[in-house]
Amino acid sequence: MDITIASNLAPFDTIAAAAFSEAAVDWRKEGPDAIACTVGYAALELADHLRLLRRRKDVAIRISHTADGKVDPAAHLGFRLGTLQDPAIFGPDIRAIQARHLTESGSFHVRACHNGKMRSILICGADRVGLLYGVYAYLAWLGFRWTHFSDRGVGLQYRGGLWDGALSLIEAPHFRFRGFQCDHDYKGNRRLFRWMARNRLNFFRRHRDLWPMQKKLGLRLFSGGHLVETLLDPGRRMANGKTLFEAHPHWFSLCGGKRQPLAGRLCVSNQAAVRFVMEGLMEDLRKTAGEVDCYTLWPPDVWDDICECPGCVRIGNGADRTLYLASLFRQRLDRTSFSGRSGKDIVLHTCAYEGTASLDVPVHPLPKSFASRRVNVEYFPINRCYSHTLMDRRCREFNQRYGPGLRQWTKLGVPMIVGEYYNVSKYADLAIGFNRVMAEDIKAYARMGIIGLHYMHVPDADWGMRTLTQWQFARECWSPRDDATTLLREYLAYRYGALAGMAQKAYVWLEEAMANINLLTSWLSASLRFRLPEVFKTSGTPRDMEAVFLCDHFKRLTRERDRGCSGLGEGSLQGMRSKLQRCQSILAGMAKATADEHILWAIQDDLKLLRYTTDFVGLYDELSSVWHALKYGDKEHRVARGHLTKALRIAQSLRRRRLKGPGLPMPEKTRCLLNTGLEPLLARLQSRMRPRL
């Protein structure tokens, strides 16, 4: 079969010249060079994927490219790639494109046409990004899926036939912002960025070196973050030799009747302090203003009291003060030009987040600058429960605060983005499943009018069973229509082939096992990560030790559970460990049942992270058993020493394990024992109890 791919690549002469020109493109403008760069890349992606069909005996393909938009009349099939900005590429066939539906950035129309002997497929995007997404939608229609960012993650279940007269795909993204948060020191992964484009994700932090590639792939880039701590450092030396706090104590928060020399604690009503912070933020933005689409102004992540001075109290609660700062910065942006680019073109993001005392809705009306709708508020429920959906009022201990709070924010008329925590740092890169709760949550966000979704922090290696999280998140961000079971089965069919049925049991058990992750390890003071070191600090008798399990969601043994709060997840350490071991057994059985290289690679990828997760939970289980034995009658410490011995053996296993390149702010090859946060406690107990190893 002869195929021609036609596209307008002016001002470039060849497909390759256009597709890899990102470093030379002026991305401040959506000019012809920017459009041609993405169009050229889309044409190459289409050709490369079609060539993969050559592996099939029933498909023979020869592909040629034309940069002038003319399709070879002798070709069996012609592709015309273009955007609404340059409709001439489609010639008279433009009438087949329903432009009235292509109003959102990223929207597209893929349409089959038949003129005489010539069969053609038109792929038209509302913009260059929509064209790229249209190419991937056509490839998905053929049967391609991209579950993992590696080459092994490209799956194909060929539908048969490249052309169908009934083909007509008109799609637009449901959420405007769709992507990931990562650490500031993220080193970058070209394959991850390509995977994001293939799955139509569009939001990521600007990468210092790879940002032109990110722009080519349609990513909306942001910079900024929690910078107020750095700017308002009380120990910062001034030109006169004094520290910032010594020179300007009234710039810092008044708490308990005293100005506190603590980083980032800003007295928002002090105009000089606010001007100082604004100048620092503008200085930071100037470094990347020609490259980013959004700037995040997040108050200090300090989990502390806010200023009690009369001026700040008049401004309002923590949310009022956050919105006040964002309003001032928005006004400053609107008056500023960055090397020919207006600050008005940069969207400002701020946050509603308990770590900055801004989670609860403001008590005063919104500042006037919010009427422009160019300030988005990101809602971060960092200590939420994943055993229940966010809107589930039955979750009395956690989500009963977050769900209604988000709904109140949406009623203010502020554009809202939800920041989820599928891999926040305290989750320690564990294998966790979110299939059911994610599907229900995102549908609820869609009904509420949320405009964007992202989560912290995307891993760029060792995905394992978390591959489902990334793939499903991308699918749901584009169109939150499919139910959880449908998405799970589609994913499993591509990743495990004939073993999908066996794998489904493992994924269901993983989600049940890890749904109470926030009570194992998180930023909650009630999580075992904080409770275990705390209870072993007691200087009294073992019976005086405090309780470890403070919440009804989660206990040590299954029989101790409060059934009214159990939610989707396993509510005991005992049950968690048992289900994780079952998952391992299933995967090990699958490995014996197949010789398929692709499936074996996926299973080994899964087992690596699952074994680490099982050891992680096992360590917590054994140490909680040490506590239980000491508190409830193990006078001679024989039982406690036995559990401590088991804990130390698990620790040795974790010490040998490494995670390569996690998305967390940790070394490139991280010792898995370090991730548990229990290394100092183990050393202390070993010194005190002297178990035999």
Side-chain angles (χ1 to χ4, degrees):
M1 176 182 285
D2 289 333
I3 293 176
T4 299
I5 300 175
S7 52
N8 184 357
L9 301 177
F12 301 99
D13 297 326
T14 65
I15 293 281
F20 301 109
S21 65
E22 59 263 32
V25 169
D26 184 357
W27 292 106
R28 292 172 299 179
K29 306 172 183 177
E30 284 292 309
D33 56 346
I35 296 173
C37 181
T38 300
V39 171
Y41 181 77
L44 281 185
E45 282 283 84
L46 176 60
D48 288 345
H49 281 79
L50 291 179
R51 288 189 182 99
L52 292 176
L53 296 175
R54 286 177 172 171
R55 299 175 184 174
R56 299 182 60 91
K57 296 179 180 179
D58 57 337
V59 181
I61 296 175
R62 187 172 70 235
I63 299 172
S64 61
H65 295 279
T66 63
D68 57 4
K70 295 180 180 179
V71 175
D72 182 359
H76 297 97
L77 180 63
F79 288 88
R80 296 180 186 270
L81 312 185
T83 68
L84 290 181
Q85 290 91 343
D86 184 22
I89 186 73
F90 301 110
D93 291 330
I94 188 61
R95 293 188 297 271
I97 300 296
Q98 298 185 27
R100 66 182 183 278
H101 295 296
L102 307 185
T103 56
E104 293 285 332
S105 174
S107 58
F108 57 81
H109 188 183
V110 180
R111 178 72 180 269
C113 289
H114 192 186
N115 294 326
K117 295 182 178 180
M118 182 64 186
R119 291 180 174 182
S120 60
I121 292 176
L122 315 181
I123 304 180
C124 179
D127 51 12
R128 61 182 179 86
V129 182
L131 168 66
L132 182 61
Y133 292 167
V135 166
Y136 292 133
Y138 169 74
L139 293 172
W141 176 79
L142 286 181
F144 283 99
R145 295 294 185 276
W146 305 272
T147 55
H148 194 277
F149 62 77
S150 74
D151 292 339
R152 294 179 183 270
V154 180
L156 173 62
Q157 295 181 6
Y158 184 46
R159 65 181 302 279
L162 303 179
W163 187 90
D164 186 327
L167 172 63
S168 182
L169 307 174
I170 302 175
E171 296 184 30
H174 186 94
F175 295 103
R176 195 179 311 161
F177 298 92
R178 312 173 302 280
F180 303 123
Q181 294 281 347
C182 68
D183 184 67
H184 288 265
D185 297 327
Y186 180 70
K187 295 183 178 180
N189 185 332
R190 293 174 181 271
R191 296 184 300 171
L192 176 61
F193 298 147
R194 284 194 291 268
W195 179 91
M196 289 181 68
R198 289 170 174 176
N199 287 280
R200 304 180 226 173
L201 294 173
N202 73 341
F203 189 70
F204 204 86
R205 177 172 289 278
R206 168 203 172 267
H207 189 275
R208 182 186 60 188
D209 302 317
L210 301 179
W211 70 266
M213 177 190 181
Q214 291 175 306
K215 298 290 278 188
K216 175 179 75 175
L217 296 175
L219 299 186
R220 292 183 175 183
L221 305 183
F222 66 91
S223 61
H226 293 295
L227 298 179
V228 181
E229 297 100 307
T230 304
L231 297 172
L232 208 67
D233 178 0
R236 180 178 177 179
R237 287 291 171 184
M238 310 297 288
N240 58 10
K242 293 183 177 181
T243 66
L244 185 62
F245 182 76
E246 290 170 344
H248 304 287
H250 287 81
W251 288 9
F252 293 80
S253 293
L254 179 71
C255 295
K258 293 178 61 178
R259 297 286 174 177
Q260 302 293 332
L262 300 172
R265 277 65 160 188
L266 172 66
C267 179
V268 179
S269 62
N270 187 303
Q271 296 303 305
V274 170
R275 283 195 299 271
F276 177 80
V277 169
M278 292 292 132
E279 285 298 330
L281 294 172
M282 291 298 292
E283 183 72 20
D284 178 70
L285 178 55
R286 285 189 185 95
K287 302 172 186 175
T288 60
E291 303 156 12
V292 299
D293 307 278
C294 310
Y295 190 76
T296 55
L297 170 52
W298 294 342
D301 189 4
V302 293
W303 295 78
D304 210 344
D305 295 329
I306 55 178
C307 185
E308 300 167 354
C309 79
C312 287
V313 171
R314 282 194 296 272
I315 292 174
N317 64 9
D320 285 299
R321 302 179 198 190
T322 296
L323 299 183
Y324 172 70
L325 281 177
S327 174
L328 294 178
F329 195 65
R330 176 74 268 171
Q331 295 173 36
R332 181 72 181 270
L333 277 178
D334 291 346
R335 299 192 302 266
T336 306
S337 178
F338 301 94
S339 301
R341 185 187 185 192
S342 172
K344 293 181 179 180
D345 297 334
I346 298 174
V347 178
L348 181 62
H349 289 195
T350 190
C351 68
Y353 166 54
E354 59 206 285
T356 64
S358 60
L359 184 73
D360 297 326
V361 293
V363 296
H364 295 310
L366 297 176
K368 291 182 179 179
S369 61
F370 276 70
S372 68
R373 298 184 68 82
R374 283 182 293 113
V375 181
N376 300 328
V377 176
E378 298 172 312
Y379 190 82
F380 289 107
I382 189 169
N383 285 326
R384 66 158 295 176
C385 162
Y386 283 108
S387 183
H388 298 85
T389 64
L390 193 74
M391 310 308 293
D392 192 342
R393 292 178 177 270
R394 293 175 299 174
C395 185
R396 303 186 300 269
E397 294 177 309
F398 305 109
N399 294 352
Q400 194 173 42
R401 176 190 185 189
Y402 292 123
L406 176 59
R407 195 177 296 280
Q408 286 180 301
W409 271 100
T410 61
K411 292 179 179 178
L412 297 177
V414 182
M416 295 295 298
I417 296 170
V418 173
E420 283 286 4
Y421 288 95
Y422 302 133
N423 192 44
V424 70
S425 57
K426 283 292 187 284
Y427 290 0
D429 263 321
L430 295 170
I432 309 171
F434 300 95
N435 173 240
R436 289 176 288 177
V437 73
M438 179 194 294
E440 292 184 42
D441 277 339
I442 294 180
K443 286 177 176 59
Y445 301 153
R447 291 192 295 269
M448 295 167 66
I450 301 300
I451 68 166
L453 292 170
H454 52 66
Y455 87 77
M456 294 185 179
H457 299 93
V458 61
D460 65 357
D462 295 326
W463 278 12
M465 295 174 78
R466 297 180 300 174
T467 303
L468 173 62
T469 299
Q470 330 307 337
W471 181 81
Q472 180 181 342
F473 180 73
R475 282 283 296 268
E476 299 264 20
C477 282
W478 181 265
S479 177
R481 288 184 303 221
D482 293 334
D483 65 88
T485 303
T486 300
L487 290 168
L488 177 60
R489 287 174 177 169
E490 181 180 337
Y491 160 82
L492 294 174
Y494 274 88
R495 187 165 170 87
Y496 303 103
L499 301 180
M502 295 176 66
Q504 184 169 353
K505 295 179 183 178
Y507 276 81
V508 170
W509 273 334
L510 176 67
E511 182 169 8
E512 291 177 359
M514 300 300 291
N516 279 312
I517 180 63
N518 66 325
L519 285 167
L520 181 71
T521 173
S522 71
W523 294 100
L524 278 173
S525 59
S527 73
L528 292 186
R529 188 184 192 96
F530 291 107
R531 291 301 301 158
L532 281 171
E534 187 67 26
V535 297
F536 282 109
K537 286 181 180 177
T538 180
S539 57
T541 64
R543 288 184 178 275
D544 295 330
M545 297 171 73
E546 298 178 10
V548 169
F549 299 90
L550 301 182
C551 297
D552 288 336
H553 274 64
F554 197 57
K555 301 296 179 184
R556 176 172 165 266
L557 301 174
T558 302
R559 64 175 179 268
E560 298 175 315
R561 293 173 59 185
D562 177 349
R563 296 288 176 178
C565 265
S566 59
L568 294 173
E570 176 55 57
S572 72
L573 271 174
Q574 177 194 63
M576 285 179 70
R577 200 172 176 185
S578 174
K579 287 183 177 177
L580 290 171
Q581 288 167 347
R582 285 190 219 170
C583 288
Q584 282 196 59
S585 297
I586 291 173
L587 291 172
M590 290 169 58
K592 294 178 181 178
T594 183
D596 186 290
E597 181 182 345
H598 173 90
I599 297 174
L600 282 172
W601 172 85
I603 293 171
Q604 293 305 318
D605 189 41
D606 295 343
L607 280 171
K608 178 181 179 181
L609 204 65
L610 190 57
R611 287 168 180 149
Y612 155 59
T613 303
T614 305
D615 279 352
F616 189 108
V617 173
L619 180 62
Y620 273 83
D621 185 25
E622 296 299 342
L623 287 178
S624 69
S625 296
V626 172
W627 162 82
H628 188 270
L630 292 175
K631 186 171 178 64
Y632 296 105
D634 184 21
K635 296 181 180 179
E636 297 181 6
H637 295 184
R638 278 195 292 245
V639 176
R641 283 195 184 95
H643 287 295
L644 181 56
T645 299
K646 293 178 182 178
L648 290 169
R649 288 172 180 161
I650 294 173
Q652 289 176 352
S653 173
L654 286 168
R655 191 175 283 114
R656 291 191 296 267
R657 294 189 187 278
R658 297 288 188 271
L659 290 180
K660 183 179 179 181
L664 311 181
M666 293 182 178
E668 185 172 346
K669 290 191 176 180
T670 305
R671 288 187 302 121
C672 291
L673 181 59
L674 180 67
N675 288 357
T676 67
L678 298 179
E679 209 168 3
L681 173 60
L682 281 167
R684 197 161 66 245
L685 289 176
Q686 187 175 13
S687 174
R688 183 191 304 177
M689 299 176 64
R690 301 187 182 280
R692 293 182 180 179
L693 293 177

